[in-house]
Amino acid sequence: MESGGDILMLPEAEAYINSFSSEPFPIREIGSPKWMQYHEYLEKLSQQAVLSAATNQSEFVMQLLCEHDKVAVLIADLISHELWRENVFKIILKTNFSPKSTLPLYMVIYHEACVMNLLETIMYHKDALESGESALLDLVDYCQRQLVHLTSCKPSDTEVIYDTKMTVQGDDESDLQYLSRQSCKLRFECSVKCISLVRYFTDHLDALPVSVVSRLVKSEIVLLLVRLLEVAPWSVRKDGQLYKLIDQKWEEIPREDTHKLTNVEGQIWMALYQMLFSPETQNKNQITEHSKAQLMKLVSLLNDVVIDQMPALGQLKETLLRMQMQTFPDQPASTQPIIEQIPEIREKVESLNSGKWGAIAKHQIKNYFSPSDDDLRKLASNFAAMYDSDALDALIPGVPKCVVCAQDATKRCSRCKCDWYCSRECQLSHWPAHKQSCNPVQ
């Protein structure tokens, strides 16, 4: 680690990336020692990519991933861990498994978010998008699935996920129940990051393969974005006061800022604008009476305050008002059959593991999620080392917050250096939950 504040030097990053296989890890081997090493490399690369972007430094991680054709590998890895969550973790939750430590299992649960963090950072650049090639089709479908999940989240669900009182494991809550809640939170965060990915897609429609643009249109991303603006799972009202989820914490919104757009809301409006007005999509969008009815819901949201923040949305409102007076067919117009490229990664991984999910869960519980004391100490030490860098402090937005009460924090666990606290009292109250990942470092 260099004194300049980097987490990785360029040669280290290149060595990590060169060690990646051209295929994602077999799902059966997720959680293995070799996988743990891969996860550690990926987390370090993600940290460095975010740090480079935040400090306007050379984004060499993104460049190396493109040069070595590893962007498609990351997408395949994301899909594999999505399938692990949907099938293997689902089975583990139904067992009476009581792990000595939840750390190995948590690292696997977190991995999907780790890959998403890296993809969200590098996909801002056109080069990274182009490097994804045909795997972008699977990434579009992944985003579509996560946005569907996000539209099903009520503000009350989000409030529970980010309730500071729920940070600590409950007295009557099993380890697996606590991990299940953590998984829900991580999935919500991945789903929100998909909004950024969709927006990056729409920013570079001219650079995307025709098949990817067609997939974006057919996946009804536009209607999902409309629905998200309508349900706004990141906003909640309590006792007449509006709160919004900003940087993963609830913030009270003054009355005069009620219509001030958050970063997430701005991303959605930008993506909608591009999807509706870009030449690459205009000929592919087939408006029906159903889609028209959904788009009309935007009119009431496009008030003067919103348009003042994003003047281009004035054109969108004018178009929608004209659309109100038009009649559209009930069904999309039929087209001549054409040869179309389709996503392959998810289907391939599913077919390789079909009927084996139960056996995989049993294998991983026995071999990977029940480590010896020595293995657990080594794993926890590596886990702590991943976050033991002063450079990471630059990535914390604003003042660090107490993991227990969300107040400004000035203390950090001196052993693992992962969690922040505002007082000795909060640190002691969090110890029962924190010790599982911190204790093995000894």
Side-chain angles (χ1 to χ4, degrees):
M1 195 175 300
E2 289 296 290
S3 59
D6 282 341
I7 295 165
L8 293 174
M9 295 176 61
L10 189 149
E12 289 178 296
E14 187 163 25
Y16 285 2
I17 292 169
N18 274 327
S19 72
F20 294 173
S21 170
S22 59
E23 296 290 334
F25 256 84
I27 286 187
R28 181 179 172 85
E29 299 306 313
I30 289 176
S32 66
K34 188 176 180 181
W35 179 93
M36 288 291 181
Q37 182 70 78
Y38 166 68
H39 172 77
E40 181 181 340
Y41 287 172
L42 200 67
E43 175 65 9
K44 286 288 189 181
L45 289 167
S46 178
Q47 291 172 4
Q48 180 59 55
V50 173
L51 181 63
S52 296
T55 55
N56 295 315
Q57 301 297 316
S58 171
E59 298 193 39
F60 57 85
V61 170
M62 181 275 296
Q63 294 164 359
L64 289 169
L65 287 167
C66 295
E67 289 173 9
H68 293 279
D69 297 323
K70 298 301 185 183
V71 175
V73 175
L74 290 179
I75 295 172
D77 188 43
L78 181 73
I79 304 298
S80 292
H81 284 78
E82 177 194 27
L83 285 167
W84 180 89
R85 169 173 51 79
E86 292 175 352
N87 296 281
V88 180
F89 185 54
K90 182 179 179 181
I91 292 172
I92 292 174
L93 287 175
K94 294 179 180 178
T95 68
N96 59 358
F97 178 48
S98 183
K100 182 185 303 183
S101 170
T102 57
L103 181 58
L105 196 48
Y106 176 79
M107 290 176 75
V108 176
I109 294 168
Y110 170 71
H111 187 83
E112 187 179 346
C114 175
V115 181
M116 273 298 297
N117 288 339
L118 183 52
L119 285 173
E120 182 193 29
T121 304
I122 67 172
M123 287 293 187
Y124 174 82
H125 301 278
K126 183 186 291 188
D127 289 347
L129 276 172
E130 293 176 334
S131 182
E133 299 181 335
S134 61
L136 293 179
L137 290 166
D138 277 277
L139 187 56
V140 168
D141 276 17
Y142 175 87
C143 289
Q144 189 262 352
R145 291 190 293 273
Q146 304 317 309
L147 293 184
V148 168
H149 169 72
L150 200 56
T151 60
S152 70
C153 295
K154 305 182 186 69
S156 56
D157 298 331
T158 315
E159 185 181 10
V160 170
I161 290 174
Y162 287 93
D163 187 346
T164 54
K165 297 177 183 177
M166 303 295 283
T167 304
V168 180
Q169 184 173 350
D171 293 336
D172 59 346
E173 190 175 37
S174 71
D175 290 335
L176 290 183
Q177 288 172 332
Y178 182 61
L179 280 175
S180 179
R181 283 203 295 109
Q182 296 300 309
S183 178
C184 289
K185 181 177 180 180
L186 289 168
R187 187 178 183 190
F188 181 87
E189 291 171 3
C190 285
S191 299
V192 171
K193 289 180 184 299
C194 284
I195 295 173
S196 296
L197 290 184
V198 168
R199 186 247 152 145
Y200 299 155
F201 278 131
T202 61
D203 279 353
H204 301 295
L205 288 168
D206 59 330
L208 297 178
V210 173
S211 58
V212 176
V213 177
S214 297
R215 198 75 184 178
L216 273 170
V217 174
K218 288 187 176 181
S219 62
E220 295 192 334
I221 291 287
V222 167
L223 298 188
L224 284 171
L225 295 177
V226 172
R227 179 61 178 160
L228 275 175
L229 287 172
E230 185 181 14
V231 299
W234 46 78
S235 298
V236 64
R237 283 193 178 274
K238 293 176 66 176
D239 302 323
Q241 176 61 54
L242 176 65
Y243 296 83
K244 289 189 177 183
L245 191 64
I246 300 174
D247 291 331
Q248 300 180 23
K249 60 182 182 293
W250 290 105
E251 291 194 5
E252 184 176 321
I253 306 299
R255 187 176 299 275
E256 62 270 19
D257 292 338
T258 297
H259 296 293
K260 185 177 180 179
L261 298 176
T262 64
N263 179 58
V264 171
E265 292 164 335
Q267 299 249 36
I268 293 176
W269 282 115
M270 291 172 70
L272 276 170
Y273 181 87
Q274 296 284 7
M275 285 290 289
L276 292 171
F277 290 104
S278 292
E280 291 79 12
T281 58
Q282 279 189 327
N283 294 332
K284 293 180 174 63
N285 286 320
Q286 294 196 40
I287 306 297
T288 64
E289 281 298 311
H290 168 71
S291 57
K292 170 191 169 182
Q294 300 306 307
L295 289 169
M296 287 306 109
K297 296 177 180 178
L298 297 175
V299 175
S300 62
L301 300 176
L302 287 167
N303 54 55
D304 291 342
V305 178
V306 171
I307 293 174
D308 282 345
Q309 295 171 78
M310 300 182 69
L313 296 180
Q315 181 185 358
L316 174 58
K317 186 171 186 178
E318 291 175 5
T319 301
L320 293 173
L321 291 174
R322 288 196 299 269
M323 191 182 292
Q324 271 185 328
M325 310 303 294
Q326 297 175 272
T327 302
F328 296 91
D330 293 329
Q331 300 292 333
S334 59
T335 57
Q336 293 296 321
I338 58 173
I339 298 175
E340 184 178 9
Q341 192 174 7
I342 61 174
E344 297 179 348
I345 296 173
R346 183 179 167 97
E347 182 179 352
K348 179 181 177 181
V349 177
E350 277 188 305
S351 64
L352 285 173
N353 296 280
S354 179
K356 303 176 184 176
W357 302 115
I360 291 172
K362 185 176 180 180
H363 168 76
Q364 292 178 344
I365 287 174
K366 178 181 178 181
N367 295 286
Y368 305 146
F369 301 143
S370 303
S372 66
D373 289 342
D374 286 344
D375 289 340
L376 191 55
R377 276 192 289 270
K378 181 180 178 182
L379 178 63
S381 179
N382 291 342
F383 178 78
M386 278 193 283
Y387 301 96
D388 185 13
S389 170
D390 292 338
L392 290 176
D393 292 347
L395 303 181
I396 301 174
V399 179
K401 298 298 180 181
C402 176
V403 70
V404 176
C405 67
Q407 298 299 311
D408 290 352
T410 57
K411 305 175 185 295
R412 183 160 55 168
C413 177
S414 60
R415 182 181 297 147
C416 70
K417 299 185 180 180
C418 293
D419 288 335
W420 289 82
Y421 303 96
C422 67
S423 65
R424 176 72 173 164
E425 289 73 19
C426 279
Q427 186 172 11
L428 289 173
S429 70
H430 190 240
W431 177 244
H434 181 66
K435 67 180 179 180
Q436 295 191 52
S437 60
C438 190
N439 252 349
V441 180
Q442 291 179 309

